[in-house]
Amino acid sequence: MNKSAKIYVAGHRGMVGSAIVRRLNALGYLNIVVRTHAELDLCNQAAVNGFFADEKPDAVVLAAAKVGGIHANNTYPAEFIFQNLMMECNVVQAAHANNCQHLLFLGSSCIYPKLAEQPMTETALLTGTLECTNEPYAVAKIAGIKLCESYNRQYGRNYRSVMPTNLYGENDNFHPENSHVIPAMMRRFHEAKVRGDSEVVVWGTGTPMREFLYVDDMAAASVHVLLLDDDTYQTNTQPMLSHINVGTGVDCTIRELAETMQRVVGFEGKLVFDTTKPDGTPRKLMNVDRLKKLGWEYSIDLETGLKKTYAWFLNNVEGLRQV
Ligand SMILES: NC(=O)C1=CN([C@@H]2O[C@H](COP(=O)(O)OP(=O)(O)OC[C@H]3O[C@@H](n4cnc5c(N)ncnc54)[C@H](OP(=O)(O)O)[C@@H]3O)[C@@H](O)[C@H]2O)C=CC1
Ligand SMILES: C[C@H]1O[C@H](OP(=O)(O)OP(=O)(O)OC[C@H]2O[C@@H](n3cnc4c(=O)[nH]c(N)nc43)[C@H](O)[C@@H]2O)[C@@H](O)[C@@H](O)C1=O
């Protein structure tokens, strides 16, 4: 893609969208179009159509979404399915209607069946029952993949999808209940250390396994897939199965994550597991062979990424985004 291409990054103030803008800028892509949620509500079809007609971007990265951890997904299922479906439908259709040939859609590893064979390959999609705590969000993300595939099949568009594993890093949402496990734990451990508490609560049994990817790696992978030439991309994907897993291929238990977090934050008290809280899916490890064949691998391991995130947290603790 030409360095002067106009690229619309939806969700540029979010954790991933902000990292994607940094990555594009670092590669010399400076013609980036952005709108805040307040300036452009992507659930509003007329507003989205007007924006695309005015701006006519050459490419779109759809990193805007209704996002949250296990509790938020389980508590606000209507918001998760409705808003995500609306944003995807509006953006994909408006991109097509305005002759935008390139689009990158961000899904999630929760699209795969709860008990999918591990590590999960892209072919596991739609082969079994989803995890109930995030089924509505997962259904919306599956619809996003199928939207892209359908516009590719019918209109010859080049709309690609990446399925990230659990992400973390600077600009994350540190809300005590609605966030994902890493920001929630980091904040709770930090506050416990500052107060001198003797113990800290971890949700669930500690036995579920998760794979974590640092946000700068996610941004690098996303831009890599967006910029791949058509031949390389098409020889490594199939027209009816266009999504690509993004992860490390390495996972750990939630207990192991909590122990690593203790070291990084410097909290010396005890861990207490609250088994009244849901565990969610027992394991969701990505098979990342397809992405490796396409020329990309992660570089930031969990402990390094947690240290970077904690350093960022300490510098930004006063103005944390919490939604
Ligand atoms: N975080 C994770 O662990 C994972 C994330 N993903 C996916 O990656 C993508 C980015 O997630 P992440 O950066 O973590 O999420 P964030 O919550 O950090 O960012 C989401 C962004 O979307 C914007 N947004 C939400 N609703 C609207 C709307 N109606 N109109 C316009 N903008 C809107 C938000 O703006 P505002 O803040 O102003 O509301 C925010 O900038 C999403 O597609 C998510 O599903 C996938 C797997 C794991
Ligand atoms: C990215 C992914 O995120 C969500 O799925 P999830 O992987 O289950 O996400 P989570 O990060 O919230 O939890 C991971 C594990 O960690 C445990 N856990 C311990 N202590 C805390 C804690 O304090 N907070 C949270 N949130 N979880 C905790 C928690 O009980 C669970 O076993 C999806 O809904 C969906 O949005 C999606 O795609």
Side-chain angles (χ1 to χ4, degrees), residues 1-8 28-33 57-59 102 227:
M1 198 175 299
N2 194 297
K3 291 275 157 79
S4 61
K6 186 189 266 194
I7 305 176
Y8 168 45
Y29 290 89
L30 302 177
N31 191 4
I32 310 294
V33 181
D58 300 306
H102 303 277
L227 298 181

Side-chain angles (χ1 to χ4, degrees), residues 179-255:
S179 63
H180 291 102
V181 59
I182 287 186
M185 263 190 196
M186 186 171 283
R187 179 175 175 184
R188 202 172 309 132
F189 281 43
H190 171 78
E191 290 175 352
K193 179 179 86 168
V194 170
R195 284 194 302 262
D197 292 353
S198 58
E199 58 183 43
V200 77
V201 172
V202 175
W203 293 0
T205 59
T207 57
M209 300 191 75
R210 292 291 184 273
E211 173 190 7
F212 299 102
L213 182 71
Y214 187 68
V215 68
D216 286 354
D217 270 344
M218 177 59 202
S222 302
V223 173
H224 182 83
V225 172
L226 176 72
L227 298 181
L228 277 173
D229 63 80
D230 290 354
D231 285 349
T232 313
Y233 180 75
Q234 274 155 16
T235 41
N236 285 284
T237 53
Q238 302 157 21
M240 294 296 290
L241 199 67
S242 63
H243 58 289
I244 300 172
N245 290 345
V246 183
T248 61
V250 179
D251 62 355
C252 66
T253 64
I254 294 300
R255 177 186 286 277

Side-chain angles (χ1 to χ4, degrees), residues 7 10 17-18 21 42 58-59 74 111 119 158 170 246 275 307 310:
I7 305 176
S18 57
V21 172
L42 295 173
D58 300 306
N74 215 8
I111 59 163
N158 198 346
E170 67 180 78
V246 183
T275 54
K307 285 178 181 158
Y310 190 49

Side-chain angles (χ1 to χ4, degrees), residues 14-16 37 41-42 63-65 87 106-107 137 141 165 167 321:
M15 177 174 70
V16 179
H37 187 166
D41 180 357
L42 295 173
M87 282 186 244
L106 273 72
Y137 173 79
K141 292 296 190 183
T165 187
L167 306 171
R321 183 173 76 95

Side-chain angles (χ1 to χ4, degrees), residues 65-321:
K66 172 78 181 163
V67 182
I70 193 167
H71 170 79
N73 267 271
N74 215 8
T75 311
Y76 311 108
E79 290 178 26
F80 275 81
I81 191 165
F82 174 76
Q83 293 181 24
N84 285 310
L85 285 172
M86 291 294 281
M87 282 186 244
E88 294 158 15
C89 286
N90 292 341
V91 170
V92 172
Q93 167 59 22
H96 165 66
N98 288 280
N99 205 22
C100 173
Q101 185 64 2
H102 303 277
L103 182 144
L104 185 74
F105 169 68
L106 273 72
S108 166
S109 60
C110 68
I111 59 163
Y112 295 117
K114 173 175 182 152
L115 301 176
E117 195 179 316
Q118 306 287 318
M120 305 178 299
T121 59
E122 286 84 353
T123 52
L125 183 64
L126 295 174
T127 58
T129 306
L130 297 165
E131 153 63 25
C132 61
T133 53
N134 55 33
E135 187 189 67
Y137 173 79
V139 165
K141 292 296 190 183
I142 293 169
I145 298 173
K146 294 299 166 190
L147 268 168
C148 293
E149 287 176 1
S150 302
Y151 281 74
N152 293 346
R153 277 175 62 205
Q154 190 173 342
Y155 301 117
R157 293 295 175 206
N158 198 346
Y159 296 171
R160 301 173 180 178
S161 301
V162 282
M163 298 301 120
T165 187
N166 292 42
L167 306 171
Y168 68 101
E170 67 180 78
N171 265 330
D172 208 341
N173 172 17
F174 286 83
H175 189 282
E177 280 89 36
N178 293 338
S179 63
H180 291 102
V181 59
I182 287 186
M185 263 190 196
M186 186 171 283
R187 179 175 175 184
R188 202 172 309 132
F189 281 43
H190 171 78
E191 290 175 352
K193 179 179 86 168
V194 170
R195 284 194 302 262
D197 292 353
S198 58
E199 58 183 43
V200 77
V201 172
V202 175
W203 293 0
T205 59
T207 57
M209 300 191 75
R210 292 291 184 273
E211 173 190 7
F212 299 102
L213 182 71
Y214 187 68
V215 68
D216 286 354
D217 270 344
M218 177 59 202
S222 302
V223 173
H224 182 83
V225 172
L226 176 72
L227 298 181
L228 277 173
D229 63 80
D230 290 354
D231 285 349
T232 313
Y233 180 75
Q234 274 155 16
T235 41
N236 285 284
T237 53
Q238 302 157 21
M240 294 296 290
L241 199 67
S242 63
H243 58 289
I244 300 172
N245 290 345
V246 183
T248 61
V250 179
D251 62 355
C252 66
T253 64
I254 294 300
R255 177 186 286 277
E256 286 163 346
L257 170 70
E259 289 164 356
T260 310
M261 188 69 80
Q262 274 187 299
R263 279 200 303 282
V264 169
V265 172
F267 171 71
E268 288 171 356
K270 204 168 76 161
L271 300 177
V272 177
F273 289 87
D274 177 358
T275 54
T276 64
K277 293 285 198 294
D279 271 343
T281 198
R283 192 177 187 197
K284 43 177 175 174
L285 178 64
M286 293 289 217
N287 176 313
V288 286
D289 288 350
R290 181 171 282 175
L291 187 58
K292 281 188 190 164
K293 277 197 203 132
L294 289 168
W296 190 87
E297 275 189 70
Y298 85 104
S299 63
I300 301 166
D301 66 48
L302 180 61
E303 188 147 350
T304 307
L306 288 178
K307 285 178 181 158
K308 285 158 89 74
T309 308
Y310 190 49
W312 182 89
F313 174 91
L314 291 175
N315 282 327
N316 292 274
V317 69
E318 298 302 333
L320 286 178
R321 183 173 76 95

